[in-house]
């Protein structure tokens, strides 16, 4: 055992004990975070507008600060983007993480000097918890790869802009610099296909021990390794035994990964986002990820079944950590030391444990597709379709979109099930226009097309009244029932496939 692995085990024990201290007193931990947030933002514009000086407890907070999504907070964020100080948080943020938007294009999520360190320590602590539980620390002597976006950043009004993964690349601890791959030059390559090819060249002869990234991107890397090396990834990297992932559900990929690797490897799930690093898998034996209650984030939870209700104008009830129950689907609401207040993240979670508090990500409060990390929402597909038919004679009766993760051949794709009133004169041109419109709507989808993770949209024509027949079959024909514009699985379209369908 090397000195480095011995040191890692000692450090892991220390971090485990620290985690035990706050996780065994969760309510007090969250209370301290809450009071510190209010104190630190007391004199900001948001704090003044919402009378933070009068907030003494959580009830005061809920009375003063409503739940908002990005659009609701956007007037404040726009001021910060333009260079104003002390708006949502004291001073200026260090960075803006640029993400795919909803109704107004790109979103800009602030990262401050107070919030940024937690993005780094959370990822580190996830690995240290794994070491503490398993006793496996040999991998610290091997190479580690983190598939991420370019670290090249833009600067505007004294604030740096970029994607979160690229920003995080600037904060890799010194003790990992020699082990970390790919090289800085390769990491800066913008074209994903070119980048992955370069990563393969750099890593194929290295002692890779840890590989991390969104499963869809890592799968592409593995496939290229297999092509070049002519053998399973597990034979190319004999000491590769730990896969770290986040962003999408790994389960649909697990069988394919194990086939590409040639054996099973341990995995650690993370729950990071531009808005904060919320949870990580702290145990290989327990289901769910440990909710990080001491990381500058105050959590609230709204029962997803009640999220859009507004009884007597009061809005749905907001729960704190001590009030949640197992198995209930909650919308995650956050207030953070980056200046997000009563912020609707859009994700839904369920608790798998209350001692300590562990969660799984159960989906999005609205219908979505994120089988590959693209986070496509209903408005985006509707806008894309509207753009594609503009100026044509095409008329649409109904449609829905679903991912095809495991096609019989070729790359995965988004499949659009469309019931046309008037068919396109040129189906190929229409599909091309629709795909181009989607790429403009969603930057992550564009990345997946450019990176050859996905092929362009596939259109399946649904027979006349096919959607009506489907709704009737599930007892939801008529009234206010609607076909979901998109879903993250194929449960709806599988039933459409069993009805008369014209390819």
């Amino acid at each position: 055992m090397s000195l480095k692995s011995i040191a890692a085990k000692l450090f892991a024990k220390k971090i485990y004990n620290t985690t035990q201290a706050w996780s065994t007193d969760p309510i007090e931990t969250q209370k301290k975070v809450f009071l510190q947030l209010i104190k630190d933002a007391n004199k900001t514009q948001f704090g003044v507008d919402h009378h933070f000086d009068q907030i003494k407890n959580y009830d005061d907070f809920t009375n003063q600060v409503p739940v908002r999504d990005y659009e609701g907070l956007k007037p404040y964020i726009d001021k910060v983007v333009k260079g104003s100080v002390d708006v949502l948080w004291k001073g200026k943020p260090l960075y803006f993480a640029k993400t795919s938007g909803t109704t107004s294009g790109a979103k800009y999520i602030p990262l401050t000097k107070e919030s940024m360190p937690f993005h780094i320590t959370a990822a580190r602590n996830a690995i240290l918890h794994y070491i503490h539980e398993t006793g496996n620390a040999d991998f610290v002597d091997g190479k580690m790869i983190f598939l991420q976006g370019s670290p090249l950043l833009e600067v505007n009004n004294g604030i740096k802009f970029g994607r979160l993964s690229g920003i995080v690349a600037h904060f890799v601890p010194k003790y990992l610099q020699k082990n970390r791959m790919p090289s800085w030059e390769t990491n800066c390559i913008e074209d994903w296909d070119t980048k992955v090819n370069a990563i393969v060249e750099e890593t194929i002869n290295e002692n890779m021990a840890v590989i991390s990234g969104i499963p869809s991107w890592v799968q592409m890397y593995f496939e290229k390794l297999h092509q070049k090396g002519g053998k399973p990834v597990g034979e190319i990297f004999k000491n590769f035994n730990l896969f770290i992932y986040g962003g999408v559900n790994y389960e649909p990929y697990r069988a394919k990964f194990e086939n590409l690797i040639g054996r099973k490897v341990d995995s650690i799930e993370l729950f990071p986002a531009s808005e904060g690093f919320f949870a990580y898998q702290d145990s290989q034996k327990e289901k769910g990820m440990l909710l990080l209650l001491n990381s500058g984030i105050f959590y609230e939870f709204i029962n997803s079944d009640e999220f859009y209700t507004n009884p007597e104008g009061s809005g749905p009830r907001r729960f704190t950590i001590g009030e949640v129950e197992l198995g209930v689907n909650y919308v995650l609401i956050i207030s953070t030391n980056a200046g997000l207040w009563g912020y609707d993240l859009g994700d839904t979670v369920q608790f798998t444990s209350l001692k300590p508090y562990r969660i799984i990500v159960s989906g999005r409060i609205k219908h979505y597709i994120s089988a590959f990390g693209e986070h496509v929402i209903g408005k985006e597909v509707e806008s894309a379709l509207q753009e594609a038919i503009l100026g044509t004679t095409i008329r649409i009766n109904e449609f829905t979109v679903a991912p095809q993760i495991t096609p019989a051949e070729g790359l995965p794709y988004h499949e659009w099930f469309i019931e046309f009133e008037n068919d396109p004169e040129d189906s190929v041109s229409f599909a091309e226009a629709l795909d181009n419109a989607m790429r403009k709507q969603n930057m992550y989808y564009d990345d997946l097309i450019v990176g050859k993770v996905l092929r362009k949209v596939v259109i399946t024509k649904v027979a006349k009244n096919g959607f009506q027949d489907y709704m009737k079959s599930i007892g939801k024909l008529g009234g206010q029932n609607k076909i979901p514009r998109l879903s993250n699985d194929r449960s709806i379209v599988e039933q459409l496939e069993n009805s008369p369908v014209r390819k």
Side-chain angles (χ1 to χ4, degrees), residues 59 75 110 162 243 303 327 364-365 419:
D59 287 340
F243 173 51
N303 190 315
R364 300 281 288 176
I365 187 57
E419 182 181 329

Coordinates of all heavy atoms in Angstrom, one line a residue, residues 59 75 110 162 243 303 327 364-365 419:
D59 N -41.0 30.7 9.4 CA -42.3 31.2 9.0 C -42.3 32.6 8.4 O -43.0 33.0 7.5 CB -43.3 31.2 10.2 CG -43.7 29.8 10.6 OD1 -43.6 28.9 9.8 OD2 -44.1 29.7 11.8
P75 N -35.3 39.0 -13.3 CA -35.1 40.5 -13.2 C -33.9 40.8 -12.3 O -33.1 41.7 -12.6 CB -36.3 41.0 -12.7 CG -37.4 40.1 -13.1 CD -36.8 38.7 -13.0
P110 N -25.6 32.1 -10.9 CA -24.4 32.7 -10.2 C -23.7 31.6 -9.4 O -24.3 30.8 -8.8 CB -25.0 33.8 -9.4 CG -26.4 33.4 -9.2 CD -26.9 32.6 -10.4
G162 N -19.2 30.5 -18.3 CA -18.9 29.2 -18.9 C -19.8 28.1 -18.4 O -20.8 28.4 -17.7
F243 N -16.5 4.0 -11.4 CA -17.1 4.9 -12.4 C -18.0 5.8 -11.6 O -18.8 5.4 -10.7 CB -18.0 4.1 -13.3 CG -18.9 4.9 -14.2 CD1 -18.3 6.0 -15.0 CD2 -20.2 4.7 -14.4 CE1 -19.1 6.8 -15.8 CE2 -21.0 5.5 -15.2 CZ -20.4 6.5 -15.9
N303 N -44.8 18.9 -2.0 CA -45.4 17.6 -2.5 C -45.7 17.9 -4.0 O -46.5 18.8 -4.3 CB -46.6 17.2 -1.7 CG -47.1 15.9 -2.1 OD1 -47.2 15.5 -3.3 ND2 -47.5 15.1 -1.1
G327 N -40.6 8.1 0.4 CA -41.4 7.7 -0.7 C -42.2 8.8 -1.4 O -42.9 8.5 -2.4
R364 N -38.5 15.3 -13.2 CA -38.7 16.8 -13.2 C -40.2 17.0 -13.0 O -41.1 16.2 -13.3 CB -38.4 17.3 -14.6 CG -36.9 17.1 -15.0 CD -36.0 18.1 -14.4 NE -36.2 19.4 -15.0 CZ -35.6 20.5 -14.6 NH1 -34.8 20.5 -13.5 NH2 -35.8 21.7 -15.1
I365 N -40.5 18.2 -12.4 CA -41.9 18.5 -12.1 C -42.7 18.6 -13.4 O -43.9 18.3 -13.4 CB -42.0 19.8 -11.3 CG1 -43.5 20.0 -10.8 CG2 -41.5 21.0 -12.1 CD1 -44.0 18.8 -10.0
E419 N -49.1 12.7 -35.6 CA -50.3 12.5 -36.4 C -50.5 13.7 -37.3 O -50.9 14.8 -36.8 CB -51.5 12.2 -35.5 CG -52.8 11.9 -36.3 CD -54.0 11.7 -35.3 OE1 -53.8 11.2 -34.2 OE2 -55.1 12.1 -35.7

